[in-house]
mmCIF file of all heavy atoms in Angstrom:
data_model
loop_
_atom_site.group_PDB
_atom_site.id
_atom_site.type_symbol
_atom_site.label_atom_id
_atom_site.label_comp_id
_atom_site.label_asym_id
_atom_site.label_seq_id
_atom_site.Cartn_x
_atom_site.Cartn_y
_atom_site.Cartn_z
ATOM 1 N N LEU A 1 126.534 23.991 273.720
ATOM 2 C CA LEU A 1 126.644 22.619 273.538
ATOM 3 C C LEU A 1 127.381 21.929 274.732
ATOM 4 O O LEU A 1 127.072 20.810 275.156
ATOM 5 C CB LEU A 1 127.428 22.286 272.296
ATOM 6 C CG LEU A 1 126.682 22.561 270.960
ATOM 7 C CD1 LEU A 1 127.527 22.436 269.765
ATOM 8 C CD2 LEU A 1 125.525 21.534 270.811
ATOM 9 N N LEU A 2 128.484 22.550 275.256
ATOM 10 C CA LEU A 2 129.074 22.027 276.411
ATOM 11 C C LEU A 2 128.224 21.930 277.653
ATOM 12 O O LEU A 2 128.290 20.943 278.406
ATOM 13 C CB LEU A 2 130.318 22.885 276.738
ATOM 14 C CG LEU A 2 131.516 22.788 275.706
ATOM 15 C CD1 LEU A 2 132.672 23.711 276.055
ATOM 16 C CD2 LEU A 2 132.064 21.357 275.639
ATOM 17 N N ASP A 3 127.365 22.933 277.863
ATOM 18 C CA ASP A 3 126.434 22.975 278.977
ATOM 19 C C ASP A 3 125.409 21.876 278.766
ATOM 20 O O ASP A 3 125.090 21.080 279.743
ATOM 21 C CB ASP A 3 125.694 24.287 278.992
ATOM 22 C CG ASP A 3 126.634 25.433 279.408
ATOM 23 O OD1 ASP A 3 127.694 25.105 280.014
ATOM 24 O OD2 ASP A 3 126.255 26.601 279.140
ATOM 25 N N SER A 4 124.979 21.552 277.577
ATOM 26 C CA SER A 4 124.007 20.481 277.267
ATOM 27 C C SER A 4 124.568 19.138 277.488
ATOM 28 O O SER A 4 123.941 18.193 277.895
ATOM 29 C CB SER A 4 123.441 20.630 275.874
ATOM 30 O OG SER A 4 124.413 20.404 274.942
ATOM 31 N N LEU A 5 125.879 18.971 277.304
ATOM 32 C CA LEU A 5 126.643 17.745 277.506
ATOM 33 C C LEU A 5 127.001 17.484 279.004
ATOM 34 O O LEU A 5 127.471 16.439 279.339
ATOM 35 C CB LEU A 5 127.879 17.652 276.668
ATOM 36 C CG LEU A 5 127.612 17.637 275.136
ATOM 37 C CD1 LEU A 5 129.056 17.695 274.391
ATOM 38 C CD2 LEU A 5 126.973 16.286 274.805
ATOM 39 N N GLY A 6 126.679 18.504 279.819
ATOM 40 C CA GLY A 6 127.002 18.419 281.245
ATOM 41 C C GLY A 6 128.520 18.572 281.699
ATOM 42 O O GLY A 6 128.934 18.065 282.644
ATOM 43 N N SER A 7 129.194 19.406 280.820
ATOM 44 C CA SER A 7 130.554 19.705 281.100
ATOM 45 C C SER A 7 130.764 20.561 282.360
ATOM 46 O O SER A 7 130.086 21.611 282.426
ATOM 47 C CB SER A 7 131.223 20.313 279.885
ATOM 48 O OG SER A 7 132.561 20.717 280.141
ATOM 49 N N ARG A 8 131.597 20.201 283.214
ATOM 50 C CA ARG A 8 131.894 20.917 284.407
ATOM 51 C C ARG A 8 133.363 21.387 284.551
ATOM 52 O O ARG A 8 133.743 21.983 285.488
ATOM 53 C CB ARG A 8 131.601 20.128 285.721
ATOM 54 C CG ARG A 8 130.056 19.753 285.829
ATOM 55 C CD ARG A 8 129.751 18.997 287.033
ATOM 56 N NE ARG A 8 128.383 18.685 287.112
ATOM 57 C CZ ARG A 8 127.769 17.988 288.062
ATOM 58 N NH1 ARG A 8 128.589 17.516 289.130
ATOM 59 N NH2 ARG A 8 126.569 17.715 288.122
ATOM 60 N N SER A 9 134.154 21.073 283.498
ATOM 61 C CA SER A 9 135.554 21.461 283.502
ATOM 62 C C SER A 9 135.719 22.948 283.366
ATOM 63 O O SER A 9 134.903 23.623 282.786
ATOM 64 C CB SER A 9 136.253 20.643 282.400
ATOM 65 O OG SER A 9 136.145 19.292 282.573
ATOM 66 N N PHE A 10 136.817 23.394 283.807
ATOM 67 C CA PHE A 10 137.151 24.822 283.645
ATOM 68 C C PHE A 10 137.409 25.108 282.189
ATOM 69 O O PHE A 10 138.089 24.409 281.487
ATOM 70 C CB PHE A 10 138.410 25.180 284.486
ATOM 71 C CG PHE A 10 138.825 26.585 284.391
ATOM 72 C CD1 PHE A 10 138.175 27.667 284.948
ATOM 73 C CD2 PHE A 10 139.982 26.977 283.535
ATOM 74 C CE1 PHE A 10 138.582 29.020 284.823
ATOM 75 C CE2 PHE A 10 140.396 28.238 283.435
ATOM 76 C CZ PHE A 10 139.703 29.269 284.064
ATOM 77 N N ARG A 11 136.877 26.304 281.698
ATOM 78 C CA ARG A 11 137.065 26.675 280.316
ATOM 79 C C ARG A 11 137.860 27.958 280.169
ATOM 80 O O ARG A 11 137.564 28.830 280.950
ATOM 81 C CB ARG A 11 135.608 26.900 279.719
ATOM 82 C CG ARG A 11 134.668 25.682 279.741
ATOM 83 C CD ARG A 11 133.307 26.064 279.314
ATOM 84 N NE ARG A 11 132.282 25.064 279.743
ATOM 85 C CZ ARG A 11 130.977 25.205 279.517
ATOM 86 N NH1 ARG A 11 130.471 26.270 278.909
ATOM 87 N NH2 ARG A 11 130.193 24.183 279.972
ATOM 88 N N GLN A 12 138.794 27.946 279.320
ATOM 89 C CA GLN A 12 139.586 29.036 279.039
ATOM 90 C C GLN A 12 139.523 29.377 277.602
ATOM 91 O O GLN A 12 139.840 28.535 276.769
ATOM 92 C CB GLN A 12 141.097 28.810 279.404
ATOM 93 C CG GLN A 12 142.035 29.847 279.000
ATOM 94 C CD GLN A 12 141.754 31.201 279.743
ATOM 95 O OE1 GLN A 12 141.458 31.237 280.991
ATOM 96 N NE2 GLN A 12 141.725 32.280 278.952
ATOM 97 N N VAL A 13 139.028 30.548 277.329
ATOM 98 C CA VAL A 13 138.899 31.014 275.872
ATOM 99 C C VAL A 13 140.232 31.350 275.281
ATOM 100 O O VAL A 13 140.976 32.173 275.929
ATOM 101 C CB VAL A 13 137.811 32.182 275.783
ATOM 102 C CG1 VAL A 13 137.717 32.589 274.371
ATOM 103 C CG2 VAL A 13 136.501 31.723 276.290
ATOM 104 N N ILE A 14 140.539 30.848 274.069
ATOM 105 C CA ILE A 14 141.720 31.111 273.340
ATOM 106 C C ILE A 14 141.350 31.782 272.036
ATOM 107 O O ILE A 14 140.640 31.219 271.196
ATOM 108 C CB ILE A 14 142.549 29.883 273.076
ATOM 109 C CG1 ILE A 14 142.828 29.045 274.335
ATOM 110 C CG2 ILE A 14 143.787 30.226 272.284
ATOM 111 C CD1 ILE A 14 143.631 29.797 275.325
ATOM 112 N N ALA A 15 141.712 33.056 271.881
ATOM 113 C CA ALA A 15 141.366 33.824 270.616
ATOM 114 C C ALA A 15 142.503 33.616 269.592
ATOM 115 O O ALA A 15 143.609 34.056 269.783
ATOM 116 C CB ALA A 15 141.181 35.232 270.963
ATOM 117 N N ASN A 16 142.155 32.834 268.575
ATOM 118 C CA ASN A 16 143.161 32.443 267.517
ATOM 119 C C ASN A 16 143.128 33.524 266.420
ATOM 120 O O ASN A 16 142.081 34.217 266.245
ATOM 121 C CB ASN A 16 142.846 31.035 267.024
ATOM 122 C CG ASN A 16 143.941 30.560 266.172
ATOM 123 O OD1 ASN A 16 145.081 30.951 266.165
ATOM 124 N ND2 ASN A 16 143.561 29.533 265.374
ATOM 125 N N GLN A 17 144.138 33.475 265.604
ATOM 126 C CA GLN A 17 144.258 34.359 264.337
ATOM 127 C C GLN A 17 144.213 35.827 264.662
ATOM 128 O O GLN A 17 143.543 36.569 264.057
ATOM 129 C CB GLN A 17 143.252 33.895 263.347
ATOM 130 C CG GLN A 17 143.268 32.417 262.896
ATOM 131 C CD GLN A 17 142.749 32.317 261.521
ATOM 132 O OE1 GLN A 17 143.330 32.984 260.532
ATOM 133 N NE2 GLN A 17 141.806 31.378 261.294
ATOM 134 N N ILE A 18 144.948 36.215 265.695
ATOM 135 C CA ILE A 18 145.023 37.627 266.028
ATOM 136 C C ILE A 18 145.726 38.378 264.953
ATOM 137 O O ILE A 18 145.664 39.649 264.895
ATOM 138 C CB ILE A 18 145.661 37.834 267.355
ATOM 139 C CG1 ILE A 18 147.066 37.305 267.414
ATOM 140 C CG2 ILE A 18 144.894 37.229 268.539
ATOM 141 C CD1 ILE A 18 147.912 37.694 268.651
ATOM 142 N N ASP A 19 146.484 37.658 264.053
ATOM 143 C CA ASP A 19 147.205 38.375 263.016
ATOM 144 C C ASP A 19 146.286 38.734 261.835
ATOM 145 O O ASP A 19 146.657 39.458 260.949
ATOM 146 C CB ASP A 19 148.322 37.498 262.492
ATOM 147 C CG ASP A 19 147.906 36.128 262.054
ATOM 148 O OD1 ASP A 19 146.982 35.613 262.713
ATOM 149 O OD2 ASP A 19 148.424 35.617 261.057
ATOM 150 N N ARG A 20 145.051 38.147 261.901
ATOM 151 C CA ARG A 20 144.118 38.415 260.702
ATOM 152 C C ARG A 20 142.849 39.110 261.105
ATOM 153 O O ARG A 20 141.992 39.418 260.270
ATOM 154 C CB ARG A 20 143.809 37.093 260.064
ATOM 155 C CG ARG A 20 145.022 36.384 259.374
ATOM 156 C CD ARG A 20 144.558 35.098 258.812
ATOM 157 N NE ARG A 20 143.509 35.250 257.864
ATOM 158 C CZ ARG A 20 142.521 34.391 257.582
ATOM 159 N NH1 ARG A 20 142.495 33.257 258.242
ATOM 160 N NH2 ARG A 20 141.580 34.648 256.697
ATOM 161 N N CYS A 21 142.664 39.338 262.368
ATOM 162 C CA CYS A 21 141.384 39.884 262.882
ATOM 163 C C CYS A 21 141.551 41.490 262.956
ATOM 164 O O CYS A 21 142.586 41.999 262.943
ATOM 165 C CB CYS A 21 141.061 39.275 264.193
ATOM 166 S SG CYS A 21 142.105 39.790 265.643
ATOM 167 N N SER A 22 140.359 42.049 263.224
ATOM 168 C CA SER A 22 140.332 43.447 263.429
ATOM 169 C C SER A 22 140.461 43.853 264.863
ATOM 170 O O SER A 22 140.305 43.037 265.759
ATOM 171 C CB SER A 22 138.974 44.010 262.843
ATOM 172 O OG SER A 22 137.918 43.496 263.626
ATOM 173 N N LEU A 23 140.842 45.107 265.070
ATOM 174 C CA LEU A 23 140.957 45.607 266.469
ATOM 175 C C LEU A 23 139.657 45.643 267.162
ATOM 176 O O LEU A 23 139.595 45.416 268.384
ATOM 177 C CB LEU A 23 141.556 47.046 266.432
ATOM 178 C CG LEU A 23 143.067 47.149 265.979
ATOM 179 C CD1 LEU A 23 143.470 48.621 265.912
ATOM 180 C CD2 LEU A 23 143.954 46.320 266.834
ATOM 181 N N ASP A 24 138.565 45.896 266.396
ATOM 182 C CA ASP A 24 137.216 45.821 267.046
ATOM 183 C C ASP A 24 136.971 44.462 267.652
ATOM 184 O O ASP A 24 136.285 44.361 268.656
ATOM 185 C CB ASP A 24 136.156 46.285 266.005
ATOM 186 C CG ASP A 24 136.261 47.643 265.605
ATOM 187 O OD1 ASP A 24 136.900 48.465 266.360
ATOM 188 O OD2 ASP A 24 135.775 48.021 264.475
ATOM 189 N N ALA A 25 137.301 43.355 266.909
ATOM 190 C CA ALA A 25 137.065 42.034 267.429
ATOM 191 C C ALA A 25 137.873 41.773 268.701
ATOM 192 O O ALA A 25 137.317 41.066 269.684
ATOM 193 C CB ALA A 25 137.369 41.043 266.335
ATOM 194 N N ILE A 26 139.066 42.304 268.786
ATOM 195 C CA ILE A 26 139.871 42.122 269.955
ATOM 196 C C ILE A 26 139.232 42.845 271.144
ATOM 197 O O ILE A 26 139.117 42.326 272.264
ATOM 198 C CB ILE A 26 141.330 42.557 269.786
ATOM 199 C CG1 ILE A 26 142.013 41.687 268.726
ATOM 200 C CG2 ILE A 26 142.087 42.598 270.996
ATOM 201 C CD1 ILE A 26 143.451 42.183 268.314
ATOM 202 N N ASP A 27 138.795 44.049 270.895
ATOM 203 C CA ASP A 27 138.161 44.844 271.990
ATOM 204 C C ASP A 27 136.856 44.146 272.460
ATOM 205 O O ASP A 27 136.493 44.180 273.619
ATOM 206 C CB ASP A 27 137.848 46.262 271.520
ATOM 207 C CG ASP A 27 139.186 47.045 271.389
ATOM 208 O OD1 ASP A 27 140.180 46.655 271.845
ATOM 209 O OD2 ASP A 27 139.122 47.974 270.538
ATOM 210 N N SER A 28 136.098 43.619 271.468
ATOM 211 C CA SER A 28 134.823 42.977 271.765
ATOM 212 C C SER A 28 134.946 41.748 272.601
ATOM 213 O O SER A 28 134.230 41.542 273.551
ATOM 214 C CB SER A 28 134.083 42.657 270.463
ATOM 215 O OG SER A 28 132.837 42.083 270.746
ATOM 216 N N ILE A 29 135.927 40.889 272.303
ATOM 217 C CA ILE A 29 136.070 39.615 273.026
ATOM 218 C C ILE A 29 136.695 39.915 274.354
ATOM 219 O O ILE A 29 136.523 39.187 275.373
ATOM 220 C CB ILE A 29 136.924 38.608 272.236
ATOM 221 C CG1 ILE A 29 136.675 37.192 272.861
ATOM 222 C CG2 ILE A 29 138.396 38.912 272.248
ATOM 223 C CD1 ILE A 29 137.266 36.105 271.934
ATOM 224 N N ARG A 30 137.494 41.043 274.481
ATOM 225 C CA ARG A 30 138.017 41.384 275.818
ATOM 226 C C ARG A 30 136.882 41.745 276.726
ATOM 227 O O ARG A 30 136.850 41.408 277.877
ATOM 228 C CB ARG A 30 138.974 42.579 275.668
ATOM 229 C CG ARG A 30 140.432 42.141 275.456
ATOM 230 C CD ARG A 30 141.275 43.467 275.207
ATOM 231 N NE ARG A 30 142.612 43.174 275.058
ATOM 232 C CZ ARG A 30 143.576 43.984 274.601
ATOM 233 N NH1 ARG A 30 143.164 45.212 274.255
ATOM 234 N NH2 ARG A 30 144.825 43.647 274.578
ATOM 235 N N GLY A 31 135.911 42.439 276.246
ATOM 236 C CA GLY A 31 134.702 42.785 277.081
ATOM 237 C C GLY A 31 133.890 41.609 277.407
ATOM 238 O O GLY A 31 133.325 41.537 278.505
ATOM 239 N N GLN A 32 133.820 40.660 276.543
ATOM 240 C CA GLN A 32 132.973 39.411 276.732
ATOM 241 C C GLN A 32 133.758 38.401 277.650
ATOM 242 O O GLN A 32 133.205 37.754 278.387
ATOM 243 C CB GLN A 32 132.572 38.795 275.493
ATOM 244 C CG GLN A 32 131.619 37.641 275.623
ATOM 245 C CD GLN A 32 131.102 37.132 274.302
ATOM 246 O OE1 GLN A 32 131.179 37.857 273.203
ATOM 247 N NE2 GLN A 32 130.489 36.003 274.220
ATOM 248 N N GLU A 33 135.049 38.223 277.329
ATOM 249 C CA GLU A 33 135.879 37.217 278.077
ATOM 250 C C GLU A 33 137.141 37.961 278.541
ATOM 251 O O GLU A 33 138.148 37.929 277.843
ATOM 252 C CB GLU A 33 136.230 36.023 277.124
ATOM 253 C CG GLU A 33 135.115 35.296 276.593
ATOM 254 C CD GLU A 33 134.463 34.362 277.667
ATOM 255 O OE1 GLU A 33 135.093 34.133 278.718
ATOM 256 O OE2 GLU A 33 133.371 33.881 277.455
ATOM 257 N N PRO A 34 137.137 38.642 279.771
ATOM 258 C CA PRO A 34 138.273 39.403 280.185
ATOM 259 C C PRO A 34 139.555 38.603 280.353
ATOM 260 O O PRO A 34 140.609 39.146 280.184
ATOM 261 C CB PRO A 34 137.813 39.936 281.588
ATOM 262 C CG PRO A 34 136.271 39.797 281.549
ATOM 263 C CD PRO A 34 135.994 38.659 280.664
ATOM 264 N N SER A 35 139.486 37.276 280.623
ATOM 265 C CA SER A 35 140.652 36.473 280.879
ATOM 266 C C SER A 35 141.107 35.789 279.601
ATOM 267 O O SER A 35 141.891 34.849 279.623
ATOM 268 C CB SER A 35 140.406 35.468 281.939
ATOM 269 O OG SER A 35 139.378 34.529 281.585
ATOM 270 N N CYS A 36 140.598 36.200 278.473
ATOM 271 C CA CYS A 36 140.884 35.496 277.169
ATOM 272 C C CYS A 36 142.364 35.617 276.808
ATOM 273 O O CYS A 36 143.081 36.613 277.124
ATOM 274 C CB CYS A 36 140.076 36.204 276.010
ATOM 275 S SG CYS A 36 140.429 35.565 274.406
ATOM 276 N N LEU A 37 142.981 34.526 276.230
ATOM 277 C CA LEU A 37 144.268 34.534 275.816
ATOM 278 C C LEU A 37 144.370 34.661 274.304
ATOM 279 O O LEU A 37 143.528 34.058 273.555
ATOM 280 C CB LEU A 37 144.946 33.220 276.236
ATOM 281 C CG LEU A 37 144.890 32.761 277.645
ATOM 282 C CD1 LEU A 37 145.672 31.487 277.877
ATOM 283 C CD2 LEU A 37 145.575 33.912 278.484
ATOM 284 N N PHE A 38 145.342 35.499 273.782
ATOM 285 C CA PHE A 38 145.384 35.755 272.411
ATOM 286 C C PHE A 38 146.647 35.185 271.797
ATOM 287 O O PHE A 38 147.656 35.225 272.397
ATOM 288 C CB PHE A 38 145.439 37.329 272.218
ATOM 289 C CG PHE A 38 144.216 38.069 272.667
ATOM 290 C CD1 PHE A 38 144.060 38.387 273.995
ATOM 291 C CD2 PHE A 38 143.205 38.380 271.734
ATOM 292 C CE1 PHE A 38 142.916 39.097 274.429
ATOM 293 C CE2 PHE A 38 142.102 38.977 272.151
ATOM 294 C CZ PHE A 38 141.887 39.357 273.478
ATOM 295 N N LEU A 39 146.521 34.536 270.587
ATOM 296 C CA LEU A 39 147.576 33.903 269.918
ATOM 297 C C LEU A 39 147.293 33.712 268.417
ATOM 298 O O LEU A 39 146.155 33.945 267.989
ATOM 299 C CB LEU A 39 147.878 32.539 270.579
ATOM 300 C CG LEU A 39 146.766 31.561 270.663
ATOM 301 C CD1 LEU A 39 146.588 30.722 269.320
ATOM 302 C CD2 LEU A 39 147.107 30.563 271.840
ATOM 303 N N SER A 40 148.318 33.351 267.681
ATOM 304 C CA SER A 40 148.166 32.952 266.300
ATOM 305 C C SER A 40 148.874 31.570 266.116
ATOM 306 O O SER A 40 150.105 31.499 266.273
ATOM 307 C CB SER A 40 148.766 33.975 265.338
ATOM 308 O OG SER A 40 148.830 33.496 264.035
ATOM 309 N N ALA A 41 148.084 30.555 265.876
ATOM 310 C CA ALA A 41 148.614 29.200 265.809
ATOM 311 C C ALA A 41 149.573 29.057 264.605
ATOM 312 O O ALA A 41 150.654 28.329 264.732
ATOM 313 C CB ALA A 41 147.535 28.139 265.740
ATOM 314 N N LEU A 42 149.296 29.689 263.571
ATOM 315 C CA LEU A 42 150.164 29.549 262.312
ATOM 316 C C LEU A 42 151.437 30.352 262.460
ATOM 317 O O LEU A 42 152.564 29.836 262.154
ATOM 318 C CB LEU A 42 149.371 30.011 261.110
ATOM 319 C CG LEU A 42 148.205 29.003 260.743
ATOM 320 C CD1 LEU A 42 147.539 29.610 259.462
ATOM 321 C CD2 LEU A 42 148.648 27.659 260.455
ATOM 322 N N ARG A 43 151.359 31.648 262.983
ATOM 323 C CA ARG A 43 152.598 32.448 263.056
ATOM 324 C C ARG A 43 153.440 32.134 264.354
ATOM 325 O O ARG A 43 154.560 32.419 264.409
ATOM 326 C CB ARG A 43 152.207 33.938 262.970
ATOM 327 C CG ARG A 43 151.775 34.387 261.683
ATOM 328 C CD ARG A 43 151.962 35.814 261.473
ATOM 329 N NE ARG A 43 151.947 36.630 262.668
ATOM 330 C CZ ARG A 43 152.025 37.961 262.661
ATOM 331 N NH1 ARG A 43 152.074 38.601 261.563
ATOM 332 N NH2 ARG A 43 151.991 38.689 263.819
ATOM 333 N N GLY A 44 152.682 31.605 265.372
ATOM 334 C CA GLY A 44 153.445 31.289 266.640
ATOM 335 C C GLY A 44 153.218 32.359 267.653
ATOM 336 O O GLY A 44 153.862 32.267 268.771
#
């Protein structure tokens, strides 16, 4: 959707809810987005 809107800004992926996800999901997104940042908005 961002590509279709013509967005050219730098994108940084933020992986939220790391306190509720599985380890497989963390490993998978690391392989897809190596520079991904991990956090939990509710726990801080």
Side-chain angles (χ1 to χ4, degrees):
L1 287 171
L2 290 175
D3 293 339
S4 65
L5 293 172
S7 173
R8 298 181 179 178
S9 302
F10 176 77
R11 305 173 194 174
Q12 174 61 44
V13 176
I14 306 295
N16 189 22
Q17 299 209 56
I18 58 172
D19 55 323
R20 297 179 54 210
C21 69
S22 63
L23 293 178
D24 293 338
I26 294 178
D27 294 338
S28 180
I29 199 171
R30 272 177 174 166
Q32 185 173 344
E33 300 285 345
S35 61
C36 174
L37 305 181
F38 296 85
L39 55 82
S40 173
L42 292 180
R43 288 203 335 185

